[in-house]
Amino acid sequence: MRPSKDRCMMDIAMIVSQRGECARRKVGAVIIDKEGRILATGFNGKAPGEVPCTHSPCPGALYPSGTGLDKCQASHSEASALVQLASPQLADTIYVTTAPCISCVKMLLLTSIKRIVYMEPYPNNGKELWVANKREWEQLL
Protein backbone atom coordinates (compact mmCIF):
# COMPACT_ATOMS: atom_id res chain seq x y z
CA MET A 1 0.00 0.00 0.00
CA ARG A 2 1.30 3.45 -0.92
CA PRO A 3 2.05 5.60 2.16
CA SER A 4 0.41 9.01 2.48
CA LYS A 5 2.51 12.11 1.87
CA ASP A 6 2.39 12.82 5.61
CA ARG A 7 3.66 9.33 6.47
CA CYS A 8 6.39 9.49 3.81
CA MET A 9 7.67 12.89 5.01
CA MET A 10 7.55 11.80 8.65
CA ASP A 11 9.52 8.68 7.78
CA ILE A 12 12.16 10.93 6.20
CA ALA A 13 12.17 13.11 9.34
CA MET A 14 12.70 9.98 11.44
CA ILE A 15 15.69 8.99 9.30
CA VAL A 16 17.11 12.53 9.53
CA SER A 17 16.69 12.42 13.34
CA GLN A 18 19.26 9.61 13.46
CA ARG A 19 21.88 12.26 12.61
CA GLY A 20 20.95 14.11 15.82
CA GLU A 21 23.80 14.82 18.22
CA CYS A 22 21.92 15.67 21.41
CA ALA A 23 22.51 13.29 24.32
CA ARG A 24 18.91 13.71 25.55
CA ARG A 25 16.83 13.38 22.41
CA LYS A 26 17.27 12.96 18.67
CA VAL A 27 14.83 15.04 16.62
CA GLY A 28 14.48 15.37 12.86
CA ALA A 29 12.61 17.90 10.72
CA VAL A 30 11.57 18.12 7.06
CA ILE A 31 10.15 21.29 5.47
CA ILE A 32 8.17 21.02 2.24
CA ASP A 33 6.53 23.48 -0.16
CA LYS A 34 2.85 23.41 -1.16
CA GLU A 35 3.60 20.91 -3.95
CA GLY A 36 5.18 18.51 -1.45
CA ARG A 37 8.79 19.07 -2.53
CA ILE A 38 11.42 18.91 0.19
CA LEU A 39 13.00 22.32 0.77
CA ALA A 40 15.17 21.51 3.81
CA THR A 41 15.89 18.99 6.53
CA GLY A 42 17.40 19.41 9.97
CA PHE A 43 18.38 17.58 13.14
CA ASN A 44 19.28 18.75 16.62
CA GLY A 45 22.87 19.21 17.63
CA LYS A 46 25.69 21.66 18.22
CA ALA A 47 27.10 23.95 15.55
CA PRO A 48 29.24 22.33 12.84
CA GLY A 49 32.79 21.70 14.07
CA GLU A 50 31.77 21.54 17.74
CA VAL A 51 32.17 18.31 19.74
CA PRO A 52 28.73 16.62 19.66
CA CYS A 53 26.88 16.10 22.94
CA THR A 54 26.69 12.42 22.07
CA HIS A 55 30.50 12.37 22.55
CA SER A 56 30.78 14.88 25.40
CA PRO A 57 27.43 15.77 26.99
CA CYS A 58 26.77 19.48 27.57
CA PRO A 59 25.34 20.74 30.91
CA GLY A 60 21.81 20.52 29.48
CA ALA A 61 22.09 16.75 29.09
CA LEU A 62 21.58 16.35 32.84
CA TYR A 63 18.06 17.86 32.78
CA PRO A 64 14.81 16.01 32.07
CA SER A 65 13.32 16.51 28.62
CA GLY A 66 11.65 19.90 28.20
CA THR A 67 13.64 21.54 31.01
CA GLY A 68 17.03 23.21 31.25
CA LEU A 69 16.83 24.41 27.65
CA ASP A 70 19.02 27.39 28.49
CA LYS A 71 21.75 24.93 29.55
CA CYS A 72 21.50 22.89 26.34
CA GLN A 73 24.07 23.78 23.66
CA ALA A 74 22.24 22.10 20.77
CA SER A 75 20.18 23.90 18.17
CA HIS A 76 16.78 22.36 17.55
CA SER A 77 15.99 20.49 14.34
CA GLU A 78 13.49 23.18 13.28
CA ALA A 79 16.15 25.91 13.48
CA SER A 80 18.62 23.69 11.64
CA ALA A 81 16.12 23.25 8.80
CA LEU A 82 15.05 26.90 8.76
CA VAL A 83 18.57 28.23 8.18
CA GLN A 84 18.82 26.06 5.07
CA LEU A 85 15.75 27.57 3.39
CA ALA A 86 16.46 29.72 0.33
CA SER A 87 13.14 31.47 0.97
CA PRO A 88 11.13 30.96 4.18
CA GLN A 89 8.08 32.23 2.29
CA LEU A 90 8.00 29.12 0.07
CA ALA A 91 7.61 26.76 3.04
CA ASP A 92 4.19 25.22 3.62
CA THR A 93 4.48 22.31 6.10
CA ILE A 94 7.07 21.14 8.61
CA TYR A 95 7.27 17.53 9.76
CA VAL A 96 9.00 17.11 13.11
CA THR A 97 9.52 13.89 15.01
CA THR A 98 8.77 15.73 18.29
CA ALA A 99 6.32 18.61 18.77
CA PRO A 100 8.11 21.99 18.55
CA CYS A 101 8.93 23.96 21.69
CA ILE A 102 7.60 27.49 22.10
CA SER A 103 10.89 29.04 20.90
CA CYS A 104 10.78 27.05 17.66
CA VAL A 105 7.12 27.92 17.12
CA LYS A 106 8.02 31.61 17.39
CA MET A 107 10.64 31.14 14.65
CA LEU A 108 8.25 29.11 12.49
CA LEU A 109 5.62 31.87 12.74
CA LEU A 110 8.04 34.13 10.82
CA THR A 111 7.64 31.87 7.77
CA SER A 112 4.72 30.94 5.53
CA ILE A 113 4.47 27.50 7.16
CA LYS A 114 0.80 26.79 7.76
CA ARG A 115 1.01 23.32 9.22
CA ILE A 116 3.08 21.51 11.84
CA VAL A 117 2.90 17.71 11.78
CA TYR A 118 4.66 15.84 14.59
CA MET A 119 4.75 12.37 16.17
CA GLU A 120 5.87 12.61 19.80
CA PRO A 121 4.40 15.10 22.28
CA TYR A 122 6.74 17.53 24.01
CA PRO A 123 6.32 19.41 27.31
CA ASN A 124 6.22 23.20 26.95
CA ASN A 125 5.29 22.96 23.27
CA GLY A 126 4.03 25.96 21.33
CA LYS A 127 0.64 24.59 20.27
CA GLU A 128 -1.39 27.35 21.90
CA LEU A 129 0.53 30.13 20.15
CA TRP A 130 0.53 28.29 16.80
CA VAL A 131 -3.22 27.62 16.86
CA ALA A 132 -3.95 31.18 18.06
CA ASN A 133 -2.33 32.32 14.80
CA LYS A 134 -4.84 30.17 12.88
CA ARG A 135 -2.35 27.57 11.74
CA GLU A 136 -2.70 23.79 11.80
CA TRP A 137 -1.15 21.60 14.53
CA GLU A 138 -1.46 17.86 13.90
CA GLN A 139 -0.13 14.74 15.55
CA LEU A 140 0.59 11.84 13.20
CA LEU A 141 0.12 8.53 14.93
Side-chain angles (χ1 to χ4, degrees):
M1 186 164 132
R2 184 176 187 221
S4 68
K5 178 172 62 176
D6 285 349
R7 173 54 52 200
C8 183
M9 294 301 153
M10 189 60 74
D11 286 350
I12 294 169
M14 290 172 60
I15 290 168
V16 170
S17 76
Q18 294 173 26
R19 298 272 305 140
E21 299 176 332
C22 179
R24 286 196 294 184
R25 178 189 299 262
K26 294 183 183 299
V27 181
V30 174
I31 299 175
I32 64 169
D33 66 13
K34 63 183 178 179
E35 276 79 37
R37 293 179 296 236
I38 295 174
L39 301 175
T41 62
F43 55 87
N44 58 332
K46 288 184 180 180
E50 298 289 321
V51 176
C53 289
T54 50
H55 291 75
S56 178
C58 74
L62 304 174
Y63 290 82
S65 182
T67 64
L69 296 181
D70 57 329
K71 305 289 186 209
C72 180
Q73 296 175 5
S75 293
H76 289 186
S77 64
E78 300 91 334
S80 177
L82 283 173
V83 300
Q84 295 178 47
L85 288 175
S87 174
Q89 299 316 311
L90 295 178
D92 183 76
T93 301
I94 186 168
Y95 295 88
V96 190
T97 57
T98 302
C101 72
I102 187 69
S103 295
C104 288
V105 164
K106 289 176 186 179
M107 285 189 293
L108 294 169
L109 283 169
L110 299 172
T111 73
S112 61
I113 293 174
K114 299 173 191 72
R115 192 167 164 245
I116 291 173
V117 181
Y118 70 97
M119 283 187 46
E120 297 176 19
Y122 184 74
N124 307 317
N125 67 53
K127 179 181 180 179
E128 188 175 315
L129 178 60
W130 189 257
V131 172
N133 279 273
K134 300 184 181 5
R135 302 194 192 192
E136 298 174 49
W137 181 275
E138 183 179 337
Q139 184 174 17
L140 186 65
L141 302 173

